[in-house]
Amino acid sequence: MAASSKVMRPGARGSRLARREAVEGYVWLLPWIVGFLAFTIGPLGASLYLGFTDWNGVESPQWIGLENYTSLFTSDPLFWQSLKVTFLFAAMYLPLSLLIGFTLALIMNQSIAGIRIFRTLYYLPSVVSGVAVAVLWWFVFNRDYGVLNWLLGLFGIPPVDWLQSEFWALPALVIMELWRVGGSIIIYLAGLQGIPTELYDSALVDGAGWWRRLWYITIPMMSPTIFFNLVMGIIGTLQIFTQAYIITQGGPNYATYFYALNIYNTAFSALRLGYASAMAWVLFVIILLLTLVVFRWGKAWVYYAGEKETRA
Amino acid sequence: MKIGISTQGVARGTEVRPLGRTPAWWKRFFRLTITYLFLTATSILFLIPFAWMISTSLKPQDQIFVYPIQWVPHPFIWGNYEQVFEQVPFFRYILNTMLITGVGVIGSLTGSSIAAYSFARMRFPGKNFLFLVMLSTVMVPGWVTLIPSYIGFHLLGWLDTYKPILVPAFFASPVNTFLLRQFFLTISPELEDAARIDGCSTFRVFWNIILPLSKPAMIIIAIFAFFYYWNDFLGPLIYLQTQDKFPLSLGVASFVSEMSSNYALTMAAASMALMPCILLFFLAQRWFVQGVVITGVKG
């Protein structure tokens, strides 16, 4: 090593060791560095470039400047439709999932026996995902033989043509997603049990009723958890694919044409790779903006007890 | 586990109006009854789709179309399951899925534990910056990198192989790396120092001390990786063409599009695809709950 040939001065030995340690550190970091370059930043840059080109994957890409983006925003009704579908879904799904998940967690947060069994049962649907679940729900929504209409029939509600109706197809997918609310129940339950009991005790002493305690203690203390679930929920919704691909193929009449499905079709059916890259970048920017906005907005109402270090 | 039962203010406060002269015992009794009724009803609601799937998968064709629903098949047609295997190479799908899932789990553990050890223990310039970079990549949606990755794998001649799905598994994913780094930081460095003084290499310290102590975090990552690779659909859909290479996700999807009117067979196929996940869930429940809590609350 170079350092060893130099005149020994205090710290030189330390710096040699430090350098060795640094090299070792980088070597051990290679799995991430290589993956980051090859599977994240490289493709990210490539798709940014492709977004400015016209490319069918066979001939070489033609640079067309901002044309993809201008036609996306000005003359592509399907782009707007898929955005509308995706945000409509989020607008229905996120509040409902918060309401149902939080309510169930509140009810389960009692000192009664058997809570674990219920927790298991609620959580079960959210561990399964993908094609098999989509296939299962595709049959659940069947108008004539489906179990959902049977269930509604027990309450005297006439059968709904879930998947064939432009109006009901999207709510159907919301219902299917709400079935998987168990993951957020567990997260809320853990959050609820992390609230110091003293807070409730002193509120009880002050004579605060159930609603007041919920409103002034539980909800403020839970706001970081709720907030985190909200951010993840938005990002997840923007990337919904398998359900729509298997169950509705985006139909009827594009009523469930999710944004990710639109990217997939544009890239792999229409082979408009440049255009699809532009769409993907629009998605990326939307996610960045939303995360930023929610974080800004979150500062106004999210209450972090104590310090931030523990959350690092 | 501490999530189970605890005494809390919220619980005690549930308001039920006192019923005339009824003592507090009655109040509590009614509250508990209502709570249990409600919890039971909702959990039945959550389970109905599963029950119905299994019931349908065992029915003769004509009973599927009986309405109102006949819940218990008569007779049980186990042959529906056999037929799935006769119609398509279902056994092959299962083996393929096991291969993909196995390698995927190993890859996820290997890459992220190595990178996480570097982030947790080693000192080098730019570490904090790189760590921030890694965290920020969580926000990059897979859809943005999908097209160039596809092109890249195409150029490498990797299409219609498992490489596009499995090779990236070995390169540390940010979420797993973050999770493991947090866990490694909770391990006291004194053990490692002692081992180093005894002349252990970094790798031996990592392998013999850190990894065994990190079992809980590794199990959680393995479970989540299992579910990810078992259910992954988009990857196989894009990269695989030959039917013999299909995993269950893609196999079931193509089976259903061929057999869409044969509900018993499609439900049998769906049941078989779901069964391992459900079994694993019951076996590894406590890890699950911990995993969800760690990834969800501490984020």
Side-chain angles (χ1 to χ4, degrees), chain A residues 21 24-26 28 31-32 43 47 112-113 119-120 122-123 127 129 131 138-139 142 145 150 179 193 213 228, chain B residues 3 13 32 36 39 42 46 52 65 67 114 118 123 125 134 144 148 202 227 231 233 260 263 281 285 292 296:
Chain A
E21 196 183 342
E24 202 172 29
Y26 291 125
W28 280 67
W32 175 70
S47 78
I112 53 176
R119 193 184 62 195
T120 305
Y122 291 142
Y123 190 50
V127 303
S129 70
V131 174
W138 161 76
F139 190 30
N142 187 300
Y145 316 110
W150 170 80
W179 182 58
Q193 302 194 330
R213 291 196 305 268
F228 174 80
Chain B
I3 292 152
L32 281 183
Y36 277 118
L39 291 178
T42 33
F46 275 77
W52 191 56
F65 305 117
Y67 211 73
I114 293 174
S118 173
R123 276 168 297 186
M134 186 191 78
V144 186
T202 311
F227 277 79
N231 291 315
F233 176 60
S260 58
Y263 295 111
F281 169 65
Q285 228 203 98
V292 174

Side-chain angles (χ1 to χ4, degrees), chain A residues 1-308:
Chain A
M1 283 244 173
S4 58
S5 63
K6 283 180 186 166
V7 184
M8 269 295 197
R9 44 189 172 76
R13 201 176 128 79
S15 87
R16 207 188 96 201
L17 265 180
R19 198 178 312 160
R20 257 188 66 184
E21 196 183 342
V23 169
E24 202 172 29
Y26 291 125
V27 169
W28 280 67
L29 205 55
L30 276 178
W32 175 70
I33 294 174
V34 173
F36 172 70
L37 295 176
F39 302 117
T40 305
I41 205 74
L44 204 60
S47 78
L48 182 63
Y49 164 74
L50 287 176
F52 297 112
T53 65
D54 181 25
W55 193 31
N56 60 7
V58 183
E59 294 134 41
S60 54
Q62 297 294 312
W63 181 269
I64 52 168
L66 284 170
E67 206 177 296
N68 285 335
Y69 290 94
T70 47
S71 51
L72 267 179
F73 285 101
T74 57
S75 58
D76 186 350
L78 277 185
F79 166 75
W80 290 108
Q81 173 67 15
S82 62
L83 267 186
K84 196 185 98 187
V85 163
T86 308
F87 279 99
L88 207 60
F89 181 93
M92 288 189 276
Y93 167 69
L94 292 175
L96 281 173
S97 124
L98 173 63
L99 192 72
I100 296 174
F102 199 72
T103 310
L104 281 171
L106 271 180
I107 293 172
M108 287 168 75
N109 186 31
Q110 303 191 43
S111 48
I112 53 176
I115 282 301
R116 276 193 201 190
I117 298 171
F118 291 115
R119 193 184 62 195
T120 305
L121 296 182
Y122 291 142
Y123 190 50
L124 184 60
S126 60
V127 303
V128 296
S129 70
V131 174
V133 173
V135 168
L136 163 60
W137 278 84
W138 161 76
F139 190 30
V140 166
F141 290 128
N142 187 300
R143 186 192 177 281
D144 299 315
Y145 316 110
V147 77
L148 185 59
N149 278 342
W150 170 80
L151 205 64
L152 294 175
L154 296 182
F155 298 96
I157 300 167
V160 177
D161 199 355
W162 293 101
L163 300 178
Q164 261 52 259
S165 142
E166 269 181 58
F167 181 81
W168 286 112
L170 198 60
L173 295 183
V174 172
I175 293 173
M176 172 182 162
E177 218 42 42
L178 284 174
W179 182 58
R180 291 155 43 77
V181 78
S184 32
I185 296 180
I186 291 194
I187 293 173
Y188 290 137
L189 200 54
L192 284 174
Q193 302 194 330
I195 302 176
T197 328
E198 302 91 66
L199 289 177
Y200 292 109
D201 291 340
S202 48
L204 270 176
V205 171
D206 292 344
W210 189 84
W211 279 108
R212 292 191 135 243
R213 291 196 305 268
L214 178 70
W215 192 252
Y216 289 108
I217 300 176
T218 314
I219 291 180
M221 292 298 288
M222 287 292 285
S223 54
T225 312
I226 295 175
F227 171 70
F228 174 80
N229 258 9
L230 191 70
V231 178
M232 297 320 281
I234 295 174
I235 294 177
T237 307
L238 283 167
Q239 302 183 57
I240 284 185
F241 172 73
T242 307
Q243 301 94 309
Y245 181 88
I246 299 277
I247 299 181
T248 60
Q249 291 90 43
N253 193 21
Y254 298 102
T256 57
Y257 203 54
F258 279 88
Y259 195 82
L261 190 57
N262 195 357
I263 296 181
Y264 174 84
N265 283 343
T266 310
F268 297 100
S269 302
L271 289 178
R272 299 175 67 191
L273 296 172
Y275 199 65
S277 300
M279 290 178 65
W281 262 86
V282 172
L283 173 79
F284 186 26
V285 171
I286 292 175
I287 287 181
L288 283 181
L289 287 179
L290 275 178
T291 318
L292 206 71
V293 167
V294 177
F295 266 99
R296 274 283 157 82
W297 177 51
K299 280 197 184 129
W301 61 275
V302 169
Y303 169 76
Y304 288 109
E307 70 302 297
K308 276 189 169 160

Side-chain angles (χ1 to χ4, degrees), chain B residues 223-237:
Chain B
I223 290 173
F224 282 104
F226 178 95
F227 277 79
Y228 176 80
Y229 285 102
W230 189 274
N231 291 315
D232 183 23
F233 176 60
L234 186 61
L237 175 70

Side-chain angles (χ1 to χ4, degrees), chain B residues 38 149 195-196 243-244:
Chain B
F38 181 81
S149 305
R196 286 203 172 261
Q243 198 188 15
D244 268 354

Side-chain angles (χ1 to χ4, degrees), chain B residues 58-123:
Chain B
L58 291 168
K59 280 179 187 172
Q61 193 69 340
D62 55 319
Q63 278 170 29
I64 290 167
F65 305 117
V66 172
Y67 211 73
I69 291 169
Q70 183 184 340
W71 282 92
V72 182
H74 181 79
F76 283 82
I77 309 291
W78 295 101
N80 287 339
Y81 284 81
E82 279 167 42
Q83 269 205 44
V84 174
F85 285 89
E86 282 160 20
Q87 304 272 1
V88 284
F90 206 79
F91 189 64
R92 190 66 203 251
Y93 295 163
I94 295 174
L95 286 182
N96 293 340
T97 312
M98 284 163 70
L99 176 75
I100 292 176
T101 308
V103 178
V105 167
I106 293 170
S108 306
L109 289 175
T110 318
S112 55
S113 62
I114 293 174
Y117 189 59
S118 173
F119 274 131
R121 282 291 195 266
M122 294 174 184
R123 276 168 297 186

